[in-house]
Amino acid sequence: MPIQSINEFVVRFANVNGSGSASANQLFARCVMRMGVPVAPRNIFPSNIQGLPTWYEVRVSGEGHLGARGGTDLMVAMNPQTWNGDVAGIEPDGYLFYDSSRPMPKDKFRDDINVIGMPLTELCNARYKEPRLRQLFKNIIYVGALAALLDIELGVAEQLIGEQFKGKDKLIAPNVEALRAGHEYAKAHFACPLGIRLRRADNVGDRVFIEGNDAAALGAVYGGATVCAWYPITPSTSLAEAFMAQCKRLRTDKETGKTKVAIVQAEDELASIGMVIGAGWNGARAFTATSGPGVSLMQEFIGLSYFAEIPAVIFDVQRGGPSTGIPTRTQQADVLSAAYASHGDTKHVLLFPEDPFECFEFGALAFDLAERLQTTIFVMLDLDIGSNHHLSKPFKWDPARKYDRGKIMTAEELDAGKTFGRYLDVDGDGIPYRTLPATHPSRGAYFTRGTTKDRFARYSEEGPDYIENMERLLRKFETAKSLVPAPVETKSKRRTGLGVIYFGSTSPAMREAAELLRGDGVDLDLLRVRGFPFSGAVSDFIEEHERVLVVEQNRDGQLRQLLQVECGVDPARLTAILHYDGNPITARFIRAAIGAAVGVAARGRKEKVES
Amino acid sequence: MSYLAKPKFHHPAIEVNQLGFTHRDYEGAISTLCAGCGHDSISAAIIHACFELSIPPHRVAKMSGIGCSSKTPTYFLGQSHGFNTVHGRMPSVLTGANLANRDLIYLGVSGDGDSASIGIGQFVHAIRRGVNMVYIVENNGVYGLTKGQFSATADQGSKSKKGVANPDSPIDMVALAIQLGATYVGRSFSGDKSQLVPLIKGAFEHRGAAFIDCISPCVAFNNHAGSTKSFDYVRAHNAALNTLDVITGRAPITADYEPGETQTVKLHDGGMIRLRKLDATHDVTDRAAALAAIHRHQSQGEIVTGLLYADEDSGDLHDRLGTVDRPLNRLGDADLCPGVEALERVNAALR
Ligand SMILES: Cc1ncc(C[n+]2csc(CCOP(=O)(O)OP(=O)(O)O)c2C)c(N)n1
Ligand code: SF4
Ligand SMILES: [Mg+2]
């Protein structure tokens, strides 16, 4: 019996990089969203511009599970190169949709799947003369056919095409025609709809559909960033580019056409972070966007920011490491290199957003924290959050919110005779006051250096001065605990001695896995960490549970190590659940791994069938 | 928050400038460099130039990298904010600072190791971006602070103090700067105050990337026979192109040069540099001529000094980026935050 499921299935598109499939596939995902059904698309792409395989996985989930699920219910196989693997990856009783223009030998199929062959190339060759059009419209034609097969309302797709080509209206009609052609063909030749299909629902609500990098860039705009220096690197590039595009709209002076922002593509990451530090020293809110290799290059400067106490914001969109690693795949593998970046005794503040909503929130917050704490703040995205579209709560902004510019001593205060010591802990929170260059003609000037100094910023190699400064930096880090976003705890309905700690893009898969595991008889309390340094709530959570599983996407259990060291936990109490093949972690994986760790076998594959 | 300096009372015998400041007001902490180090003479020239130009000290941001030369900002302009960054990376920090506040005067001080060796990339890119700054390399051909290794400006064949000859060919910082698009380029010698002070003054008056390569013998590691950056060697091989006088727009002073011997360069802020041409063939507005002069003298074993090239219509990085006139660090919430309604529109477009 072919898989039967309404609003709960996975469609996977296998394409060739550079064939123009991306926008057609995205159109498909948007159609699902517009029908009120939650959707989570994910790009799996190579480090290449043209010719290599790419996949686009669309998880449709009326129940709202937005993590990667794993497995494929409907394979749209458009890439002969990957045919064998693609066909093998289909769930038993699943569906295969392919271009049947060229006959395929029988042994290239499976007996336990349902095959839908459509002569796409033939249809296109008959309709279009130009090779480029044939390729482009082939994509739209298969979207039309899928609309028929999956019961997507054609009107929804047509409206989306209208919106997409707004301003280039000439393109609307041919795209709509191609869509309809595909739709008609499928209606005429196949039994539509399939066992898996959509039904209009109202489960999307007011959520927005956006990539995490775009959201983080918007956070930087709202957070008041005025200097951005960056160097291209996957998967962070689109963050800087989004910032540029948004500033064009939101930061251009209407009268003069001049910009209230300076964006520089630097010559490398050393220069990017150097510019950010120069700008931060001089009182502007500045950031860079990068990925692991960039963070490696920035190490010396990050130490300067820590020791000389200069605000800076780094968006680290993590990818698979080490070295060039697995550059177009996702990982959470920069946790330690960011937390302890640079030589000597250093520690840095990290924020861990789980989705675009938090990319925006933490993106803006990072600038307040950088100025409040006068140090580098890392916002730790990853490829999964950053370069995939996610359904996310709409962004919000409190109209009463004011930027926290931190402790800046003014000319008035200097004139009033207030003592200024750049590294003097006046308030007991470890955070000293700073003056900006040119504040006052004769007071408040000081020399910034990466070498040791006394409280009044005078060069000093005296041991006690050095130690006092280092101890104050620790007090400042203590203060940071109450300023970073608090962890979010989700308690199991039944009392349990099992706790799970996770962060970032693991969230949706973890939540889904916890539900599945409850069905398997495993109850879990969940703690989502959102910031480093860890607050007391994190050590309390570990304390309160007999056993804690730390779920993350890297080989070495980096969050687990950080918890061990910073919360002083016996390593035996923390079990590592690790996923690091470069694909986003799935609920199925977590369910199996936690099940195995606690000695409960998952009850086979649980079909979600809506009736 | 712009402050006019308060006039101070001074003994009439002490010379004061337009702001009522004495020379003292431009000094910094006592130098800890070796006695006789060329770098200290450059600090003195900077102090002198700032005094004569009546620059309010607190409007200057002093930036440097790491090295003996990079230590010197502590020894001048005590009322300025200073920033001793990391080795070879002053240009990026200065660029960032300049982006944050276009209204201040940025003085970058570096060494030949700092700028020509580890930091050559940042030097190159800051120059080609046209950052509005005065960039001085205190060039001694060695790493002073790490005790005498060759830097990338050391001449091929020149001998270290230990007698080892340098196998690599040198980087000529002025030729490089001209090629990269610096719009004010000069070379001088720490021991030639009468040439250096006006050259620095002209650089301060210039808007855009101003670069000065100042040969500055290291008395500890590069002032011996066999060195090509020693006092004696430079004095013997110096070919001065021109001497110059800087006349600010604020205070025109009459000069007494013979018209036939001078070339006047109008500076961006209305000031003027008057060049007394010793070598009548050199035209400072001609980039190709400047490069030719550098190479010609080099092939004759001479170090050409003076103002080599100046382009006063250049503009700077902010012009290229089209940033607002107000310094970015002065923009507040209302300027920067697009607000709730704009965010609602963003949300609506994402559904
Ligand atoms: C990353 C790094 N590498 C090496 C050093 C060691 N170091 C300090 S100063 C210096 C050379 C300075 O030479 P130069 O810029 O010519 O300055 P000088 O002392 O000659 O004035 C070196 C290699 C350092 N501080 N940082
Ligand atoms: S070592 Fe050389 S460069 Fe350094 S202070 Fe001494 S003389 Fe100057
Ligand atoms: Mg040197």
Side-chain angles (χ1 to χ4, degrees), chain A residues 411 415 438-443 445, chain B residues 3-6 21 56-58 79-80:
Chain A
D415 272 332
T439 295
H440 192 283
S442 57
R443 291 178 188 169
Chain B
Y3 279 80
L4 281 182
K6 287 181 221 126
F21 286 142
H58 73 294
Q79 295 308 327
S80 307

Side-chain angles (χ1 to χ4, degrees), chain A residues 359-389:
Chain A
C359 287
F360 174 79
E361 291 278 311
F362 297 179
L365 173 68
F367 293 94
D368 278 356
L369 292 181
E371 290 203 300
R372 169 61 42 190
L373 293 164
Q374 300 173 23
T375 194
T376 292
I377 311 291
F378 282 94
V379 187
M380 305 294 284
L381 287 77
D382 62 25
L383 182 143
D384 185 22
I385 302 177
S387 20
N388 288 315
H389 278 79

Side-chain angles (χ1 to χ4, degrees), chain A residues 9-60:
Chain A
F9 52 89
V10 172
V11 181
R12 189 180 303 268
F13 297 82
N15 299 98
V16 176
N17 206 12
S19 65
S21 57
S23 70
N25 295 349
Q26 214 187 87
L27 171 67
F28 174 83
R30 283 179 189 276
C31 286
V32 176
M33 176 185 72
R34 286 289 179 90
M35 284 186 63
V37 179
V39 64
R42 284 182 169 80
N43 285 296
I44 295 110
F45 61 99
S47 181
N48 190 62
I49 304 301
Q50 208 184 11
L52 288 188
T54 70
W55 291 269
Y56 189 71
E57 170 191 312
V58 180
R59 178 160 194 199
V60 176

Side-chain angles (χ1 to χ4, degrees), chain A residues 222 258-259 267 282 403 435 448, chain B residues 84 129 322 325 329 333 339:
Chain A
Y222 272 76
K258 293 185 176 178
T259 62
E267 60 271 27
N282 211 357
Y403 297 151
T435 54
T448 305
Chain B
N84 209 179
R129 284 193 184 98
D325 296 341
N329 70 356
D333 296 58

Side-chain angles (χ1 to χ4, degrees), chain B residues 39 68-69 111-114 138-145 149 151 153 216 218:
Chain B
H39 300 347
C68 296
S69 37
D112 43 312
D114 203 56
E138 306 189 345
N139 186 353
N140 53 15
V142 291
Y143 293 176
L145 196 60
Q149 302 81 5
S151 84
T153 65
S216 175
C218 169

Side-chain angles (χ1 to χ4, degrees), chain A residues 96-114:
Chain A
L96 168 69
F97 176 91
Y98 81 108
D99 182 354
S100 60
S101 304
R102 252 195 300 157
M104 275 278 182
K106 203 153 186 315
D107 64 348
K108 288 285 183 187
F109 297 93
R110 274 166 49 187
D111 294 338
D112 61 340
I113 56 172
N114 307 286

